[in-house]
Amino acid sequence: MGGEVRHWNADVNGISLHVADQGPADGPPVLLIHGFPELWLSWRHQMTALAARGFRTLAPDLRGYGDSTVPDDPAAYTIFHIVGDLVALLNHLGLTKVMVVGHDLGAQVAWHLCLFRPDMVRAVVNLGVPFFPRGPNSLTEAFAGCDGLYIMQFQAGMKASPF
């Protein structure tokens, strides 16, 4: 039904990205961008369905996740780095235009890919996170009053952590 998932790594943008790839190599490419705290595996069902319909699906583990490189410096995780990794991956594969699907954190990455490199995006579908422009406050400050939001619960847990 779409073939087996192929796993490989691409050395791009100074790191190694793990990529799960399914479907015909010459099929229309769909870039699937996972959320937090997820991996390529979050897309396994969608990959199979799309591959069965002739699409090539590419689901990388973003930097810092899964089998991709985990840079030590927190400054290496800006949206510019993450989008740069995906642009470098597409260039590595010789893909000039892709359909992009993002979920959660991946939706923010997808929105920024569209903003930074609209020439590389044929279409975009985002799940769970609407576009919102950068504001004067950090996300932590912007969501400070949202105690039930999982992002804020994670932050609170980190502050209480002995690590």
Side-chain angles (χ1 to χ4, degrees):
M1 185 197 236
E4 294 296 316
V5 176
R6 299 173 295 275
H7 294 271
W8 47 273
N9 282 62
D11 293 328
V12 295
N13 206 22
I15 65 165
S16 177
L17 278 185
H18 167 256
V19 180
D21 182 349
Q22 189 174 10
D26 61 348
V30 180
L31 179 64
L32 301 165
I33 309 171
H34 68 76
F36 170 85
E38 300 174 357
L39 301 170
W40 76 269
L41 189 62
S42 300
W43 295 110
R44 67 192 177 282
H45 301 296
Q46 293 84 358
M47 290 174 70
T48 299
L50 289 165
R53 287 159 183 81
F55 292 93
R56 179 182 186 185
T57 59
L58 300 162
D61 287 338
L62 299 178
R63 66 171 49 213
Y65 291 84
D67 291 327
S68 291
T69 298
V70 181
D72 290 330
D73 184 1
Y77 292 90
T78 69
I79 195 71
F80 296 108
H81 288 92
I82 297 168
V83 171
D85 296 344
L86 298 178
V87 169
L89 174 64
L90 298 177
N91 287 336
H92 173 78
L93 294 169
L95 299 173
T96 56
K97 274 208 184 290
V98 296
M99 291 168 270
V100 180
V101 182
H103 172 253
D104 189 61
L105 168 67
Q108 282 295 357
V109 174
W111 288 126
H112 284 85
L113 178 60
C114 292
L115 286 170
F116 300 155
R117 292 302 306 267
D119 58 306
M120 298 185 91
V121 178
R122 181 177 311 278
V124 65
V125 174
N126 274 326
L127 308 168
V129 178
F131 174 75
F132 53 93
R134 184 174 180 163
N137 300 323
S138 70
L139 284 178
T140 304
E141 292 168 334
F143 292 135
C146 304
D147 293 333
L149 186 63
Y150 78 94
I151 295 170
M152 297 311 294
Q153 291 175 345
F154 178 76
Q155 294 298 319
M158 290 301 291
K159 290 175 188 169
S161 171
F163 303 111

